[in-house]
């Protein structure tokens, strides 16, 4: 990937915003459309879609189904685990969506979709009819992928790959870790939610241990031969946490083959590692309702039409966020937010009898290597030949030769990004 120059990226990002904005103006109906849209999942994708459909056309009834009354984000959850922020910093609610934007929010779980009858059924016994359905259920775990690990085991060996109680549990375990103890993290195989996420977690755990448990060490047991922003992470680890982090890659047999929950051990092909705190992140697939709806293919994810994010399997059902197959976009909160706007614009256009416009999407993943040490990867995406394509010359990664001031600025940009996307979604 080419190196990003900030000026070039800013130009492209501005172009994207302008294109999207023109796109949205174009699809604004001459007369207000009417129709019923049901959105399943109130996270990065679903809450954005619900808000933007209402913003684009208040004539459309939007019902969001989400079991939680408060949403705890995964972005910035590593800062909570590393003790830099309280969990309240990453907790949001649906007040603005209900009040300011007039969506109906039903705190319940969708349990079935009848795409022929166009209905969604919930655990609470409701049946909701729709004209258009948006699914943004995020991920589910392949609990049986590695022997010994299970949903029950996650109460002792957390994954912390959904924001909330798992985040708090891992934080508590880290604080209680014995002096000189070992923290093991086992990242998942591809594809998974937030490719740089495990390595940001390693960084912020290393920062916390450096200040509170100086003799402790970290072992990464990785089923992959390489990882996102690897040279930048490794450079940062060398600068900030020299000798504290051991990365066992796939080629050195890093992939876990068995987890011994009682013995607090992870077995790999060649070795056994004992941890005082273990963070095991299982392999992933689309959220359960995507399977129940019949929107998944044999990969365990949901194929979509890239222009609108409508399912290629189910008519009038749109799948956005981590559950969708939207490559080359990564499974990130920013991608989910961008995809939601494309789907919202397409739905509003279609409900008022118009053709959807050409999508333009964007993603930036910031990671904190330390509180004042940020790195990023960015890309702008267009649509060509029926596919989502990377915009030539856009995006790239932070320069390897960035100085301390550059890294400090990127850490500030990271926080700015978090605060603006959170208010874009839940504000
Ligand atoms: C540690 C970590 C750090 C991350 N950092 C970043 C970052 O810095 N930047 C970034 O862009 N991304 C980041 N991500 C990735 C980001 O969290 C996800 O990509 C994003 O949340 C995906 O959005 P989504 O809407 O698909 O799923 P989610 O945001 O998880 O939302 C899914 C929602 O659907 C609900 N749901 C599920 N099933 C049902 C059902 N049957 N009925 C009703 N509701 C249902 C769930 O309760 C949930 O609220 C990070 C992830 C992790 C784990």
């Amino acid at each position: 990937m080419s190196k990003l120059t900030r000026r070039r990226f800013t130009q492209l990002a501005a172009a994207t915003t302008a294109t999207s904005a023109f796109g949205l103006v174009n699809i604004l109906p001459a007369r207000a459309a009417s129709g019923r849209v049901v959105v399943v999942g109130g996270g990065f994708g679903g809450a954005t879609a619900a808000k933007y459909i209402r913003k684009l056309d208040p004539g459309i009834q939007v019902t969001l189904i989400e079991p939680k009354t408060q949403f705890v984000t995964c972005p910035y959850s590593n800062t909570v685990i590393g003790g830099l922020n309280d969990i309240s910093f990453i907790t949001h609610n649906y007040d603005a969506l209900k009040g300011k934007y007039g969506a109906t929010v039903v705190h319940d779980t969708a349990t079935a979709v009848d795409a022929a009858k166009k209905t969604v059924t919930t655990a609470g016994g409701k049946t909701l009819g729709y004209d258009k359905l948006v699914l943004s259920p995020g991920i589910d775990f392949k609990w049986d992928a590695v022997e010994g690990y299970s949903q029950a085991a996650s109460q002792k060996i957390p994954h912390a790959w959904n924001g909330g109680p798992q985040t708090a549990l891992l934080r508590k375990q880290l604080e209680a870790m014995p002096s000189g103890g070992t923290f093991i993290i086992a990242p998942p195989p591809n594809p998974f939610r937030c490719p740089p996420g495990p390595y940001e977690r390693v960084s912020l755990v290393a920062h916390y241990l450096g200040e509170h448990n100086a003799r402790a060490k970290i072992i990464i047991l990785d089923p992959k031969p390489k990882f996102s922003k690897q040279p930048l992470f490794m450079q940062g680890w060398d600068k900030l946490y020299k000798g504290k982090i051991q990365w066992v890659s796939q080629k050195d047999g890093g992939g876990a083959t068995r987890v011994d929950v009682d013995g607090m051990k992870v077995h790999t092909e060649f070795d056994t590692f004992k941890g005082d705190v273990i963070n095991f992140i299982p392999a992933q697939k689309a959220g359960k309702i995507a399977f129940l709806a019949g929107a998944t293919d044999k990969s365990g994810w949901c194929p979509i039409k890239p222009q609108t994010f409508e399912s290629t399997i189910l008519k009038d059902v749109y799948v956005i966020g981590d559950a969708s197959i939207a490559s080359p976009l990564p499974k990130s909160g920013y991608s989910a937010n961008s995809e939601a706007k494309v789907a919202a614009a397409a739905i509003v256009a279609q409900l008022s009898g118009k053709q959807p416009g050409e999508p333009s999407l964007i993603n930036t993943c910031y990671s904190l290597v330390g509180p004042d040490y940020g790195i990023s990867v960015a890309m702008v995406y267009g649509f060509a030949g029926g596919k989502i394509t990377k915009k030539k010359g856009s995006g790239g990664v932070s320069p390897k030769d960035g100085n301390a001031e550059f890294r400090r600025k990127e850490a500030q940009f990271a926080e700015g990004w978090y605060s603006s996307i959170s208010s874009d979604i839940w504000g």
Side-chain angles (χ1 to χ4, degrees), residues 183-187 198 201-202 218-222 279-281:
F183 177 90
I184 295 177
I185 180 167
R201 180 167 293 170
V202 164
I218 299 175
I219 302 173
I220 309 167
L221 296 177
D222 212 324
N279 176 204
F280 185 85
I281 309 166

Side-chain angles (χ1 to χ4, degrees), residues 40-46 65-68 71 74-78 94 108-111 136-139 160-162 193-194 197 200-201 289 320-323 331-336 363-366 417:
V40 174
F44 277 78
I65 307 175
E66 163 62 52
K68 298 187 288 259
F71 186 83
C74 285
Y76 262 63
S77 65
N78 288 332
Y94 298 97
D108 204 341
T109 300
T111 49
S136 191
I139 52 158
W161 220 241
N162 277 323
R193 154 177 289 184
C194 195
E200 180 188 66
R201 180 167 293 170
I289 189 66
I320 55 175
D322 291 348
K331 295 189 186 300
S332 79
Y334 200 177
S335 299
N363 179 64
T364 305
C365 282
Y366 287 103
W417 171 83

Side-chain angles (χ1 to χ4, degrees), residues 14 27 36 38 52 56 59 70 124 144 176 195 210 215 225 238 259 282 286-287 305 321 334 360 381 394 408 427:
I27 57 90
R36 294 164 307 163
V38 172
Y52 274 81
L56 286 170
Q70 292 199 309
D144 53 359
R215 290 184 305 111
D238 202 44
V259 179
K305 298 175 191 169
Y334 200 177
S360 186
Y381 303 85
S394 76
R408 197 181 61 74

Side-chain angles (χ1 to χ4, degrees), residues 58-245:
I60 297 174
Q61 279 177 43
V62 175
T63 305
L64 173 73
I65 307 175
E66 163 62 52
K68 298 187 288 259
T69 54
Q70 292 199 309
F71 186 83
V72 181
T73 65
C74 285
Y76 262 63
S77 65
N78 288 332
T79 71
V80 174
I81 291 163
L84 301 175
N85 284 308
D86 186 75
I87 202 154
S88 58
F89 183 74
I90 57 167
T91 304
H92 305 275
N93 63 47
Y94 298 97
D95 291 354
L97 192 57
K98 292 182 210 167
K100 197 162 151 196
Y101 297 103
T104 303
V105 180
V106 175
H107 291 298
D108 204 341
T109 300
T111 49
V113 172
D114 187 330
K117 289 194 185 134
K118 294 192 155 189
T119 58
V120 181
T121 307
T122 71
K126 289 195 170 63
T127 298
L128 303 170
Y130 65 80
D131 298 306
K132 303 278 188 186
L133 172 66
V134 179
L135 297 179
S136 191
I139 52 158
D140 210 341
F141 298 108
K142 295 182 177 173
W143 292 111
D144 53 359
V146 170
E147 189 192 335
Y149 198 70
S150 62
Q151 191 158 9
S154 71
Q155 295 311 309
K156 186 168 178 201
I157 296 184
H159 52 77
W161 220 241
N162 277 323
Q166 282 277 303
T167 314
L169 177 61
L170 187 57
R171 169 71 195 146
K172 212 166 117 204
Q173 291 184 349
L174 198 59
E175 284 177 292
M177 195 166 106
S179 173
T182 301
F183 177 90
I184 295 177
I185 180 167
N190 292 321
F192 67 101
R193 154 177 289 184
C194 195
Y199 313 96
E200 180 188 66
R201 180 167 293 170
V202 164
S203 309
L204 296 183
V205 167
H207 170 76
Y208 171 77
L209 293 176
E211 295 203 328
H212 297 91
N213 193 343
R215 290 184 305 111
K217 64 173 182 182
I218 299 175
I219 302 173
I220 309 167
L221 296 177
D222 212 324
K224 303 184 292 302
K226 57 182 183 167
F227 59 85
S228 171
K229 294 183 266 187
Q230 183 171 345
L232 288 167
F233 273 113
M234 289 196 153
Q235 184 188 49
W237 294 347
D238 202 44
K239 273 194 186 139
L240 303 179
Y241 317 115
K242 202 168 181 65
K244 297 270 174 217
I245 300 166

